[in-house]
Amino acid sequence: EIQSYILASQMEHGRIWNYSAGPCILPIEVLEQAKEEIFNWQGSGQSVMEMSHRCPEYTKIWNDARDGLAKFLNIDREKYYIYFLQGGATLQNSAVPMNLLGEKKTANYLVTGTWGSKSFNEAKKYCTPVEVFPLNKKFTTVPVKDWKLDAEGAYFHYTSNETINGVEIRQDFPYEAVPEGMPIVCDMSSDLCSFDIDINKYGMIYAGAQKNLGPAGATVVILKKDLIGRKIKSVPMMTDFELIANDPQNMLNTPASYSVYVMGLHVAHMNKFGIKHYEQLAIDRAKFIYDQIDSSSGFYKCQIDEAYRSRMNITFNIKEGDADLEAKFVKEAAKEGMLRIKGHRSVGGIRVSLYNAMPVKGAEVMAEFMKKFLQENSKQICQFILIISPLHRLKKKK
């Protein structure tokens, strides 16, 4: 019933099927509410974009967004801060070592893709990070044993979902392999709120909002309060977790106010259904695409170890990376209203992103298109082989 309403709204509004890796799509209901309130927010006589970030109206918006996220993820507000910052997850690559190293000289990093690699390289500016299991840029799996880590490291960092590479580790992360007392830090930019997690196992989680939560501009940081006081000697004000903690609203300057507002609307919408609902949606969506890949007899190929295939960003090649066929796939999908599926420029191929607001129907129509494209292009390939085979035999006789 919910899906039917979404689809009816999508058709009514002339919406495309948007498989962008970010910014994410948003529910029609959230966009409609934002549209309704854009000129005059709840009778206040002003738009959220015009509000002072310290006024009572915006304070309510800010607190509602934090309370909603805490409810959705079951965050204990007595133990954890929730910050809404700026600079994306990329800025947190610097903020993490600056705030958590203290007097220590090392930290542990599990690098499973492009973004984990960026985090690791940024940490080199502040310490000597240890890569616990070097994959040498072959990012197709998640090594969960035989780590060589520094037991004295300040923290353990990993990226749960690699948006570019299509690698994801969820509840099966080996928490027991991290030394007791060492804070676990996770970049969950592209899968936060898509599966049920135990927040209490983490010292810090950070995420750009523009994947599963809202528009670009806001960054979520969930920080265990007892980690305050571990910063290095010199930390820029806007990345100083202690300064942010000491502000009554954890707001040092004007935030990305409208982004936080829309994120709050989205979180309120998600709380109607709960995280288990969204986890099941993620499973159902991904199954449509992976089933089509696995049943294609190699026409489509996902390079990722099956146990660590991402539900959020599904990456694959066509005919072992046939650039012409992949370009044709992207072009013909666009004619059907299916856009933003070209793989990242650093890896190529195809990437289909299926974030929280994507209806299951969005995965189903993509799978149907994949099936149709396979049938049409497999025929052409077979016909080509039939044409050249006799010519090849004739050439050999001559």
Side-chain angles (χ1 to χ4, degrees):
E1 194 172 319
I2 294 168
Q3 295 291 322
S4 297
Y5 169 75
I6 292 170
L7 292 174
S9 296
Q10 182 142 348
M11 292 174 67
E12 179 187 340
H13 289 81
R15 306 263 294 168
I16 62 168
W17 289 112
N18 183 358
Y19 303 99
S20 171
C24 66
I25 67 168
L26 290 165
I28 295 293
E29 300 93 324
V30 169
L31 294 173
E32 286 177 337
Q33 185 175 350
K35 176 184 175 182
E36 182 180 331
E37 296 179 341
I38 194 167
F39 184 72
N40 184 352
W41 181 79
Q42 297 188 8
S44 67
Q46 58 192 319
S47 170
V48 174
M49 289 183 280
E50 301 170 308
M51 289 179 182
S52 163
H53 59 293
R54 303 292 183 187
C55 74
E57 292 88 351
Y58 192 76
T59 298
K60 181 180 187 309
I61 290 169
W62 180 265
N63 288 334
D64 284 351
R66 291 200 294 178
D67 292 345
L69 187 62
K71 178 182 178 181
F72 191 78
L73 291 173
N74 194 25
I75 302 170
D76 185 346
R77 298 293 295 278
E78 294 297 317
K79 295 181 179 178
Y80 287 87
Y81 293 111
I82 298 176
Y83 298 160
F84 294 147
L85 307 178
Q86 299 182 61
T90 301
L91 184 58
Q92 296 310 308
N93 289 339
S94 303
V96 168
M98 285 193 289
N99 284 277
L100 300 184
L101 276 172
E103 299 297 322
K104 296 193 174 186
K105 305 298 181 185
T106 65
N108 297 291
Y109 280 74
L110 175 62
V111 178
T112 55
T114 302
W115 293 111
S117 182
K118 289 180 183 292
S119 300
F120 176 71
N121 289 330
E122 186 67 14
K124 292 177 182 177
K125 297 176 182 178
Y126 309 98
C127 66
T128 304
V130 175
E131 189 174 0
V132 301
F133 196 111
L135 289 170
N136 299 317
K137 296 187 178 180
K138 293 182 179 179
F139 300 132
T140 59
T141 191
V142 179
V144 294
K145 58 183 180 179
D146 300 325
W147 292 346
K148 294 182 180 178
L149 50 76
D150 186 342
E152 298 301 316
Y155 56 85
F156 186 101
H157 180 284
Y158 76 102
T159 303
S160 55
N161 183 70
E162 286 288 353
T163 316
I164 291 174
N165 309 90
V167 179
E168 183 178 23
I169 184 166
R170 294 173 289 270
Q171 295 98 326
D172 49 348
F173 178 84
Y175 299 99
E176 69 284 353
V178 179
E180 187 175 354
M182 182 179 291
I184 297 175
V185 179
C186 187
D187 176 357
M188 289 192 179
S189 285
S190 47
D191 61 358
L192 184 65
C193 296
S194 71
F195 64 96
D196 199 10
I197 55 171
D198 183 355
I199 294 289
N200 296 304
K201 292 181 178 179
Y202 294 88
M204 176 179 170
I205 292 171
Y206 64 97
Q210 70 274 13
K211 307 294 185 181
N212 275 313
L213 288 171
T219 307
V220 173
V221 171
I222 302 165
L223 178 69
K224 204 167 188 179
K225 291 183 177 181
D226 63 13
L227 294 181
I228 295 295
R230 299 191 183 196
K231 63 184 178 182
I232 61 177
K233 290 182 180 179
S234 181
V235 180
M237 179 173 68
M238 293 310 299
T239 54
D240 189 328
F241 290 165
E242 188 171 358
L243 276 180
I244 299 168
N246 289 336
D247 183 271
Q249 291 295 329
N250 306 136
M251 186 196 301
L252 285 184
N253 71 334
T254 307
S257 56
Y258 198 77
S259 295
V260 171
Y261 156 70
V262 177
M263 179 172 63
L265 295 183
H266 192 190
V267 171
H269 175 77
M270 292 193 298
N271 269 317
K272 295 175 183 177
F273 311 104
I275 197 164
K276 293 288 188 183
H277 169 80
Y278 284 95
E279 182 167 16
Q280 188 58 53
L281 286 182
I283 293 169
D284 294 344
R285 286 189 300 255
K287 188 175 187 303
F288 273 107
I289 309 300
Y290 285 124
D291 281 355
Q292 188 58 51
I293 292 170
D294 294 339
S295 64
S296 70
S297 300
F299 184 84
Y300 300 115
K301 187 170 183 181
C302 177
Q303 309 292 339
I304 309 305
D305 180 350
E306 190 169 344
Y308 302 107
R309 288 174 168 182
S310 173
R311 295 173 186 161
M312 300 288 101
N313 310 101
I314 300 176
T315 57
F316 59 93
N317 293 101
I318 301 176
K319 294 299 291 182
E320 300 292 341
D322 185 317
D324 291 336
L325 265 182
E326 289 173 351
K328 184 180 180 182
F329 183 92
V330 172
K331 186 177 180 179
E332 292 192 4
K335 292 177 182 176
E336 302 288 334
M338 294 178 278
L339 279 75
R340 317 286 184 259
I341 58 173
K342 188 176 180 180
H344 190 271
R345 60 187 180 277
S346 64
V347 296
I350 306 296
R351 174 173 57 176
V352 177
S353 297
L354 304 170
Y355 295 126
N356 272 9
M358 175 63 72
V360 172
K361 187 67 177 178
E364 187 178 355
V365 297
M366 174 55 72
E368 289 170 357
F369 172 77
M370 290 170 68
K371 183 178 181 180
K372 174 186 171 186
F373 187 85
L374 183 155
Q375 291 169 344
E376 292 176 352
N377 290 275
S378 291
K379 286 178 184 177
Q380 291 176 11
I381 291 168
C382 290
Q383 288 169 356
F384 179 72
I385 292 170
L386 288 171
I387 291 168
I388 65 168
S389 292
L391 294 174
H392 179 68
R393 286 196 296 271
L394 184 61
K395 188 176 180 182
K396 284 184 73 174
K397 285 181 181 180
K398 286 182 179 180

